[in-house]
Amino acid sequence: MNVPFLDLKAQYQKIKKEVDQAVAEVISEQYFILGPKVEALEEVIASYSSARHGIGVASGSDALMLSLMAVGIRVGDEVITSPFTFFATAGSITKVGATPVFVDIDPKTYNVDPSQISERITPKTKAIIPVHLFGQCADMEPIKELARRYDLWLVEDAAQAIGSDYIKDSHTTQRAGSIGDLGCFSFYPSKNLGGFGDGGMVTANDDELADRVRLLRVHGASRKYYYQIVGVNSRLDALQAAVLLVKFHYLEEWTEKRRENADYYNHLFEGIDHQALDIETPYVQYRNRHIYNQYVIKVSKRDELRKFLSREGIVTDIYYPLPLHLQECYRDLGYGEGDFPHAEGAARETLALPIYPELTKEQQEYVVSKIGEFFHSFVP
Ligand SMILES: *Cc1c(COP(=O)(O)O)cnc(C)c1O
């Protein structure tokens, strides 16, 4: 049996008529940059994320960079983030001239460990970027408390977490993108809401911050050819917005399917006694709404397992094989192996299994039975 990691062609077949029509409309209008389609998307994403404003930008990476520019992060500043994330989280900090300061992750959620943040705060620290990795919100309450106490900006990297909820207690639910000062989303094709190319969005509750991001994405021009500040060119285009508006109608359904698939994997893993086999399934903190952009297990012999599954027709992926503090480009930050044992452990032992909405029960049963087979073949 073949199990791809993601099946965007299957998704497209289901919505082909609607998407093709939306794209054809943009082409016949010949209105490509920003405009009414982008504004419509900004409205639905902001509202879906419980934020007042949405600002469409060229990518999730730019959403992060523009957010840092908007709150005035610059040369000499320090920004705290996780070493176990996609490169853009830290790259955006470096791009504005500031220094990323890494804090190890919680080995259960893979999100930044709030209890280790305060020891990294210095007079130069200006912001924290918690990452809602794999689709589960970082532990935002203690992080918000630190941001308040030390007067730091809070920028959420919600690129993998559209529609994810942080549940603080039985009566407080907060949605990814509305918890910090600014929220950053990505419409990269593999995200839960993916376009036909690059795209991103910044969400904000504060009017002034939103205006600033809106200014920065058009070179800092408040009206054409008059520049208030120096910004960049980072606009969402109408073709992407048209595709995303169609797909948005299916987002909840697709995310629910991912959540069901995750539950089914958990159930199947119980059947093969995953604890005895040393397989850790995803841990959901309290009652968070995890949206499973990735379903990530932790296993020793990860690389051998991955090879075995690949031979059996099952495609998996590794997010991420080398933590950011050990990347060549960050050598001069002075970190070394052993500095963040949990991030390093996760990079060594985690494996992402196919979790996309169109995945069938039979495919999931096949995946888990093959994993069981792999481990039993190791038992002496
Ligand atoms: C995808 C992603 C980004 C960047 O998004 P792009 O749209 O690819 O630039 C940033 N952070 C995380 C955690 C991501 O997964």
Side-chain angles (χ1 to χ4, degrees):
M1 189 186 285
N2 273 322
V3 189
F5 189 67
L6 183 64
D7 194 351
L8 288 175
K9 283 184 188 160
Q11 189 195 70
Y12 173 59
Q13 281 315 315
K14 272 178 51 186
I15 56 171
K16 184 176 187 319
K17 257 175 90 172
E18 280 175 278
V19 173
D20 289 1
Q21 196 188 326
V23 168
E25 221 173 272
V26 175
I27 293 174
S28 70
E29 281 161 8
Q30 293 285 302
Y31 194 119
F32 293 116
I33 305 292
L34 297 176
K37 286 259 179 343
V38 171
E39 282 161 28
L41 183 73
E42 290 174 338
E43 229 162 84
V44 299
I45 299 299
S47 137
Y48 184 67
S49 306
S50 306
R52 287 167 57 101
H53 304 277
I55 305 108
V57 298
S59 68
S61 304
D62 275 8
L64 287 160
M65 186 184 70
L66 290 165
S67 292
L68 294 178
M69 289 170 79
V71 299
I73 305 299
R74 57 196 180 96
V75 180
D77 294 342
E78 292 176 357
V79 178
I80 288 174
T81 194
S82 165
F84 191 60
T85 172
F86 180 61
F87 178 72
T89 317
S92 66
I93 299 167
T94 310
K95 285 271 287 202
V96 300
T99 304
V101 172
F102 298 116
V103 168
D104 207 359
I105 55 168
D106 173 330
K108 275 157 65 191
T109 62
Y110 310 113
N111 283 323
V112 72
D113 178 356
S115 72
Q116 297 190 47
I117 292 178
S118 62
E119 63 204 65
R120 297 273 164 173
I121 294 175
T122 75
K124 291 179 177 175
T125 310
K126 293 288 152 55
I128 307 175
I129 311 183
V131 183
H132 306 323
L133 202 68
F134 305 141
Q136 171 168 229
C137 286
D139 193 5
M140 292 302 283
E141 199 45 39
I143 297 174
K144 266 178 95 158
E145 182 51 43
L146 287 166
R148 256 194 303 268
R149 188 172 345 137
Y150 292 96
D151 196 20
L152 307 174
W153 294 103
L154 198 48
V155 176
E156 299 173 67
D157 184 339
Q160 299 180 6
I162 192 164
S164 177
D165 287 324
Y166 175 70
I167 310 219
K168 188 173 104 189
D169 51 46
S170 55
H171 37 257
T172 325
T173 296
Q174 289 172 299
R175 182 141 283 195
S178 70
I179 312 172
D181 296 298
L182 293 157
C184 303
F185 291 95
S186 164
F187 304 124
Y188 184 79
S190 69
K191 304 289 155 89
N192 283 30
L193 180 63
F196 287 1
D198 278 314
M201 185 143 327
V202 177
T203 51
N205 281 315
D206 183 86
D207 300 349
E208 252 172 72
L209 276 181
D211 281 345
R212 218 166 156 82
V213 176
R214 232 171 251 128
L215 209 58
L216 285 164
R217 76 174 164 178
V218 289
H219 288 297
S222 50
R223 60 192 169 104
K224 216 173 180 184
Y225 306 130
Y226 293 85
Y227 306 92
Q228 231 171 296
I229 51 178
V230 178
V232 298
N233 170 7
S234 183
R235 303 164 301 208
L236 187 63
D237 65 73
L239 280 169
Q240 296 309 331
V243 170
L244 292 163
L245 278 167
V246 171
K247 285 197 177 192
F248 178 76
H249 293 296
Y250 299 89
L251 180 58
E252 268 299 304
E253 183 190 323
W254 289 337
T255 292
E256 278 307 314
K257 267 301 275 165
R258 284 172 182 270
R259 288 166 49 76
E260 278 168 32
N261 292 348
D263 285 344
Y264 196 52
Y265 268 138
N266 293 341
H267 166 77
L268 292 170
F269 276 119
E270 269 158 34
I272 65 162
D273 195 4
H274 64 290
Q275 275 158 343
L277 298 177
D278 202 19
I279 300 169
E280 266 180 54
T281 52
Y283 172 81
V284 178
Q285 190 180 334
Y286 193 47
R287 299 202 315 265
N288 280 351
R289 184 181 195 232
H290 195 319
I291 59 135
Y292 293 101
N293 180 243
Q294 301 299 344
Y295 181 94
V296 172
I297 59 169
K298 195 191 242 173
V299 285
S300 46
K301 305 197 192 78
R302 188 263 318 266
D303 295 328
E304 294 96 320
L305 173 63
R306 185 167 191 229
K307 239 179 257 161
F308 174 84
L309 293 177
S310 154
R311 280 198 301 270
E312 301 290 341
I314 299 164
V315 187
T316 59
D317 210 342
I318 296 171
Y319 297 89
Y320 298 89
L322 187 65
L324 301 185
H325 67 288
L326 300 178
Q327 296 288 342
E328 188 180 339
C329 67
Y330 283 142
R331 205 181 298 161
D332 57 359
L333 292 180
Y335 294 101
E337 211 148 321
D339 283 352
F340 304 115
H342 295 312
E344 292 165 27
R348 246 187 338 261
E349 298 194 326
T350 57
L351 186 67
L353 303 181
I355 189 71
Y356 59 91
E358 298 78 13
L359 191 69
T360 65
K361 281 205 155 57
E362 292 68 34
Q363 286 174 309
Q364 290 191 274
E365 286 156 12
Y366 178 71
V367 171
V368 176
S369 77
K370 285 294 164 189
I371 292 175
E373 200 178 302
F374 169 81
F375 276 98
H376 287 118
S377 69
F378 262 88
V379 175

